[in-house]
Amino acid sequence: MGDEDWEAEIIKPHMSSYVPVFEKDRYSSGANGDTFNRTPASSSEMDDGPRRDHFMRSGFASGRSLGNRDAVESNKRETPSTVGGFGVGKGFGNRGFLNNKLEEGDSSGFWRESNDSEDNPTRDRGFSRRGGYQDGNDSEASGSSRRGGRGSFRGCRGGFGLGSPNNEFEQHEGTQRAGGPFGSKRPTLSGAGNGDTYQSRSGSGSGRGGYKGLNEEVITGSGKNSWKSEAEGESGDTQGPKVTYIPPPPPEDEDSIFAHYQTGINFDKYDTILVEVSGHDAPPAILTFEEANLCQTLNNNIAKAGYTKLTPVQKYSIPIILAGRDLMACAQTGSGKTAAFLLPILAHMMRDGITASRFKELQEPECIIVAPTRELINQIYLEARKFSFGTCVRAVVIYGGTQLGHSIRQIVQGCNVLCATPGRLMDIIGKEKIGLKQVKYLVLDEADRMLDMGFGPEMKKLISCPGMPSKEQRQTLMFSATFPEEIQRLAGEFLKSNYLFVAVGQVGGACRDVQQTILQVGQYSKREKLVEILRNIGDERTMVFVETKKKADFIATFLCQEKISTTSIHGDREQREREQALGDFRCGKCPVLVATSVAARGLDIENVQHVINFDLPSAIDEYVHRIGRTGRCGNTGRAVSFFDPESDSHIAQPLVKVLSDAQQDVPAWLEEIAFSTYVPGFSGSTRGNVFASVDTRKGKSTLNTAGFSSSQTPNPVDDESWD
Ligand SMILES: Nc1ncnc2c1ncn2[C@@H]1O[C@H](COP(=O)(O)OP(=O)(O)OP(=O)(O)O)[C@@H](O)[C@H]1O
C-alpha cells in the first residue's frame, strides 16, 4: 500500500470521532500505562495529572515531542479538549514529535513512513531513534541529550485525527537520515500529495551516520567504517538519549521457571515429517531423551518442563551437537529449536566442567547465543535458565533499550551462557566486560536474519573480535525456520566446512498446523474487515501484523476506539512499553496485539490462536515466521491474510507455493494473480531461494522421517505429509 493511499484513508471523513481515553484504574497496574483500554471521557478527566501521564506514556496522546521540556510545557497549556483522547494534532508513540505548530490539530494520522518497518535494518538505517521522552528511570536522562538527542521531531502532524492539516516538519536528525556509514534507503520525506515539508536539521549529530537496527539496537557511526552503539552514548562518547530502563527481574520461584503450556493434538504427527540430513558422517538420530544420555539434573529439568518426547529437530540436532559438529538446522516454527541447541550445549558444559560463576570484572562465557530481537533473546534466556536450573551454569541476558550499567552488573556476577542482541553484545565486548577466549559454542538463532544485510556485518565483526576462537576451535550452531540459499552460502564463513545440515520438512515451509486463509481485501476495507474478524474471534488471543510502526499505533488506536482491548509492539516504543505490551498480551489482559515484524520471529506465546496479516509482508519468509506465532508445538492455529492486489501482487507467487506446500486451499483468484506475475525460474522468494529443498552444498543427503535411522529410510513420498 502506498503511503499516499494510507494517508488518504486516515483522513477519510467516515473516521469515527469517538475519542477514547485511558481509564485510570485499569492502568494503575502497569508500569507503562500501555494498554489501550478506554472509557468515554469528559475533558476534565483527561486533564487529570496521573491519567494524563499514562496517556502520554502510552504513546497515543498528544503529539508532543516528549523529549523536549518546552513541548511538554506547551501541552500543559493546551485546552482539555486538545489534550484528550487520541489527540487532535498529536503524534503517535514515542517518536518524539513536537507539536508546537499543531495545537490546533492536524488532519493526518500518519506522516509518511515508508521503509519504517522494523523488518529490515537496512531500510531503517540512517533514521534515528525515537524521541526523547522518557519516564521513570529514563527521566534521568540529561536534558541536553534529550533535547538535542536523536529522534526529536518538530511539527509532527497529528495523531488520529481531527483538525486541519499542518505540514511543516523539522527533523532534528537529518544527518542520520541523510545516510551514515550504512547508508539510508529511506526516501526523502517530502510529503508528496500533501505538501508536507521535512526540514533536515544538522545538529549535534552532524557527520554521524545512523543505523536503527531492525528491531532494537541503535548504532551510530562516525566514519565510513566505524560505528558506535547506542550504549556508548551513555558514556558520553556519542550524543543520544540515555537509556536507563532496568527490566524487572524474572520470577525466581520454581513454578514460574518451569511454567509451560501443553503440547497440542498434532504433536505426535511431528513423527511423520520428513527430515533430511546432509553432510558427512552424521551421527544417528536419537528417539528418546534417555538416549541422549544427559546428566540427571538436566533430565529432571526436562521433565519439569513437561517435555516427554523429542521433536524431530531435537532428535537430529541433539546428537549432532553432542558429537561436536557444527550445524545448520531448519525446522518449522514452534517445533522446539530452542531446546534442540540448549540441551546439548548445557550437557557438554556439565560434562566438561565450567568455571563456576563468581564476580569478575571480565567474564569469559563458554557459550554466546545471539538473536535479532530483544524479546526473543529474553525468551531464550528464560529457557536457558530453566534448563540450567540447579546447575552451576549461569545464564545472563543483555539487550538494547535497557541500561548498559544493568547489563554490566548482570555479567560481572558470573556468566557462562551469554544471551545477547548484537548491538548490546558488541558494546559489552567493547567495554571489555566480556572476553571471548573461552567461547566454545556460538549460536545464531533466527540465523538467516542474523546473517542478512542487517545483522550480517555485526556478526562478521563478532567472529573477528580479538580472542574469539576461530571456527575450527569453536562449535557454531545456526537455527531458523527459513534459510534462503544465499544466506546458506554466507553461513559458510562461520561454519566448519564439514558442518551438517538438518532440514525438517520443507526448508522455509509454513507450519501445517496453521490453517491459512487469504482474503482479497482492498486497503480501504481492511479496517472494517479486521473489526469483523476480531468480533467473531471474541477473546481469543490474536496477533495483527502491519507493515509499519506508525500503522501499528494507528490500528491499535482504532481497535481501542472500536472497544477491542488492544496493545501494540514495535521498534519505536520504549523497551518498558514493549515489555508491558507483551506482558499484557501474554496474560490476556489485551487479547489483541498489533505488531510489526519485531514480533514476527521466535516469540512463543501460549494460546495465540490467530494471526492476522493486516498487511502482507514484502518477503515470503517473513510471512512464514509471522503465521508461525500460532500453531505451535502441535497446537492448531489460524492465519488470515489480507491480500490487496494493488500492493501485494509481488508476493502472490511465493504465497501460492507456501499454501500448496502446506496443503492449504489456494484461492483461484490468487493463482491467477500469481500466474499473471509469473517469474520464470521462481523458487519461492521475492529475494532469492527461500525454498531451498536441500542443503545448498548439495552434499550427500539422506531422507528420513524423524526417528528412523538412515538404514530405515522409508519412501519419502509415503511420509511427505505430517498432518
Ligand atoms: N520436546 C518437547 N516437548 C514439549 N514441548 C516442547 C518440546 N520442545 C519444545 N517444546 C515447547 O514448544 C514451544 C515452541 O518451542 P520453540 O520456541 O523452541 O520453537 P522454535 O522452533 O524455536 O520456533 P520459532 O521458529 O518460532 O522460533 C515452546 O513452548 C517449548 O517449550
Side-chain angles (χ1 to χ4, degrees):
M1 178 191 303
D3 288 318
E4 293 86 344
D5 299 333
W6 179 244
E7 289 190 355
E9 180 184 6
I10 291 163
I11 59 172
K12 274 174 80 167
H14 69 253
M15 176 72 78
S16 161
S17 59
Y18 174 75
V19 179
V21 295
F22 296 104
E23 186 181 9
K24 186 175 183 180
D25 290 342
R26 298 179 73 174
Y27 261 87
S28 52
S29 61
N32 307 325
D34 188 44
T35 54
F36 304 138
N37 297 319
R38 67 276 169 251
T39 56
S42 69
S43 56
S44 62
E45 277 176 321
M46 295 176 213
D47 243 347
D48 176 279
R51 209 163 310 178
R52 211 171 79 145
D53 200 36
H54 280 308
F55 196 65
M56 287 162 60
R57 287 182 226 163
S58 75
F60 281 73
S62 46
R64 58 208 79 187
S65 165
L66 301 165
N68 186 317
R69 195 168 298 167
D70 297 341
V72 174
E73 289 305 318
S74 102
N75 278 308
K76 280 185 184 163
R77 291 191 295 271
E78 289 171 342
T79 61
S81 64
T82 323
V83 173
F86 283 79
V88 182
K90 308 305 183 206
F92 281 110
N94 304 299
R95 288 165 191 285
F97 297 146
L98 294 182
N99 72 329
N100 55 338
K101 297 193 178 178
L102 296 175
E103 271 93 4
E104 292 312 308
D106 180 10
S107 66
S108 43
F110 295 126
W111 53 296
R112 189 166 286 296
E113 198 191 22
S114 51
N115 296 338
D116 205 13
S117 158
E118 284 92 343
D119 183 46
N120 191 340
T122 61
R123 290 187 295 177
D124 272 354
R125 283 169 189 170
F127 190 62
S128 80
R129 189 161 168 77
R130 52 202 174 268
Y133 175 73
Q134 294 166 343
D135 62 356
N137 291 333
D138 294 351
S139 65
E140 286 161 30
S142 77
S144 62
S145 69
R146 286 168 57 187
R147 276 195 290 275
R150 293 172 282 188
S152 293
F153 284 75
R154 235 168 232 287
C156 163
R157 47 196 162 144
F160 190 51
L162 312 166
S164 60
N166 183 312
N167 298 322
E168 192 167 85
F169 284 55
E170 285 181 351
Q171 189 196 355
H172 284 242
E173 298 213 308
T175 50
Q176 296 195 3
R177 200 161 63 189
F182 296 100
S184 172
K185 290 191 181 173
R186 177 177 280 268
T188 307
L189 299 181
S190 61
N194 58 16
D196 291 337
T197 322
Y198 290 74
Q199 292 177 4
S200 176
R201 180 188 286 183
S202 305
S204 56
S206 179
R208 287 206 311 267
Y211 168 113
K212 168 68 172 70
L214 166 62
N215 311 313
E216 41 110 12
E217 309 302 332
V218 176
I219 297 172
T220 57
S222 54
K224 195 161 185 243
N225 295 313
S226 67
W227 58 276
K228 288 184 177 180
S229 76
E230 162 188 39
E232 283 177 280
E234 292 175 39
S235 61
D237 293 352
T238 58
Q239 294 207 0
K242 183 172 179 175
V243 178
T244 55
Y245 172 57
I246 297 177
E252 292 288 340
D253 64 288
E254 217 173 303
D255 284 350
S256 306
I257 289 172
F258 288 99
H260 61 273
Y261 62 83
Q262 297 304 311
T263 57
I265 49 166
N266 290 333
F267 189 76
D268 287 341
K269 291 182 184 168
Y270 280 150
D271 287 342
T272 59
I273 192 168
L274 268 179
V275 180
E276 183 175 332
V277 182
S278 53
H280 295 289
D281 305 320
I286 54 171
L287 298 179
T288 62
F289 280 112
E290 292 73 49
E291 279 183 62
N293 225 353
L294 307 172
C295 70
Q296 195 50 47
T297 317
L298 270 183
N299 281 330
N300 290 344
N301 292 342
I302 289 167
K304 280 192 255 179
Y307 292 19
T308 52
K309 194 174 163 183
L310 292 155
T311 66
V313 70
Q314 292 163 357
K315 286 176 181 173
Y316 283 82
S317 302
I318 290 174
I320 288 172
I321 298 171
L322 286 175
R325 300 290 296 273
D326 280 7
L327 173 65
M328 183 187 287
C330 189
Q332 73 280 12
T333 51
S335 66
K337 294 186 284 294
T338 317
F341 61 78
L342 281 177
L343 290 173
I345 289 174
L346 291 171
H348 263 184
M349 290 171 81
M350 302 295 290
R351 185 198 63 191
D352 297 345
I354 49 150
T355 319
S357 307
R358 63 186 175 87
F359 182 91
K360 259 197 310 180
E361 284 293 332
L362 177 77
Q363 293 286 335
E364 298 187 310
E366 286 83 1
C367 173
I368 292 181
I369 303 169
V370 287
T373 68
R374 299 164 181 178
E375 290 75 16
L376 176 56
I377 201 65
N378 204 27
Q379 184 181 295
I380 294 169
Y381 158 72
L382 293 173
E383 292 289 290
R385 191 180 72 136
K386 172 169 84 181
F387 289 123
S388 60
F389 185 78
T391 73
C392 59
V393 175
R394 182 174 144 86
V396 170
V397 65
I398 56 169
Y399 52 88
T402 60
Q403 189 196 64
L404 182 66
H406 174 71
S407 295
I408 292 172
R409 283 193 295 278
Q410 299 302 304
I411 286 172
V412 295
Q413 288 169 47
C415 179
N416 303 110
V417 176
L418 180 60
C419 307
T421 50
R424 183 52 58 99
L425 176 62
M426 298 310 285
D427 283 343
I428 295 283
I429 292 171
K431 298 226 173 286
E432 298 181 355
K433 296 297 170 194
I434 284 291
L436 300 170
K437 280 207 303 264
Q438 297 300 327
V439 172
K440 294 187 181 65
Y441 314 96
L442 174 63
V443 183
L444 276 61
D445 196 25
E446 307 296 342
D448 54 331
R449 186 73 191 79
M450 299 309 296
L451 293 175
D452 76 8
M453 285 190 303
F455 290 114
E458 280 173 81
M459 290 299 97
K460 283 189 181 179
K461 279 190 186 115
L462 175 64
I463 57 167
S464 46
C465 272
M468 173 63 96
S470 72
K471 63 183 179 185
E472 306 306 328
Q473 253 80 53
R474 61 168 200 261
Q475 204 175 343
T476 307
L477 309 168
M478 301 191 178
F479 284 79
S480 185
T482 51
F483 252 121
E485 280 184 7
E486 75 264 22
I487 302 286
Q488 282 192 43
R489 277 188 281 273
L490 287 176
E493 206 178 313
F494 292 72
L495 296 157
K496 296 184 195 91
S497 58
N498 70 344
Y499 74 86
L500 292 168
F501 181 92
V502 169
V504 181
Q506 179 94 40
V507 173
C511 173
R512 291 189 187 183
D513 293 325
V514 182
Q515 186 196 319
Q516 301 174 57
T517 307
I518 313 293
L519 300 177
Q520 196 173 156
V521 187
Q523 60 164 314
Y524 295 118
S525 311
K526 282 184 177 181
R527 277 185 293 153
E528 201 181 317
K529 192 76 197 167
L530 177 65
V531 170
E532 180 193 318
I533 293 172
L534 289 175
R535 292 214 196 288
N536 282 335
I537 283 173
D539 276 345
E540 291 179 353
R541 233 159 282 179
T542 305
M543 289 177 79
V544 178
F545 282 99
V546 298
E547 216 25 19
T548 67
K549 293 175 267 197
K550 206 159 291 237
K551 200 189 275 187
D553 281 341
F554 176 71
I555 295 300
T557 310
F558 165 71
L559 291 176
C560 286
Q561 286 188 306
E562 295 293 325
K563 298 186 164 52
I564 295 169
S565 189
T566 303
T567 187
S568 74
I569 186 166
H570 59 73
D572 269 356
R573 302 207 77 188
E574 296 290 342
Q575 188 55 29
R576 73 169 70 238
E577 294 173 321
R578 283 166 61 157
E579 291 178 15
Q580 178 78 33
L582 213 50
D584 289 344
F585 182 60
R586 269 187 207 280
C587 74
K589 185 174 168 192
C590 291
V592 177
L593 178 69
V594 180
T596 58
S597 50
V598 74
R601 284 179 180 254
L603 292 186
D604 183 52
I605 300 167
E606 182 174 9
N607 244 336
V608 175
Q609 278 139 332
H610 304 266
V611 168
I612 298 174
N613 281 309
F614 185 90
D615 297 320
L616 275 164
S618 51
I620 194 67
D621 44 358
E622 164 88 12
Y623 172 84
V624 168
H625 286 280
R626 282 184 184 183
I627 68 168
R629 295 319 98 212
T630 183
R632 298 177 71 76
C633 207
N635 291 286
T636 55
R638 287 165 182 234
V640 177
S641 302
F642 297 167
F643 186 101
D644 178 2
E646 293 278 306
S647 54
D648 299 326
S649 300
H650 66 281
I651 207 174
Q653 207 178 336
L655 198 52
V656 167
K657 176 151 176 51
V658 167
L659 290 167
S660 44
D661 283 348
Q663 299 180 346
Q664 304 288 310
D665 290 340
V666 181
W669 59 264
L670 183 63
E671 269 181 328
E672 254 171 55
I673 295 173
F675 187 72
S676 66
T677 54
Y678 175 71
V679 179
F682 164 78
S683 57
S685 166
T686 50
R687 63 169 208 198
N689 294 346
V690 165
F691 302 110
S693 57
V694 290
D695 177 358
T696 50
R697 295 170 304 174
K698 306 274 189 271
K700 180 182 162 214
S701 68
T702 55
L703 285 167
N704 286 338
T705 49
F708 289 86
S709 67
S710 305
S711 58
Q712 296 169 301
T713 306
N715 180 346
V717 178
D718 295 341
D719 281 298
E720 198 137 43
S721 167
W722 53 283
D723 61 6

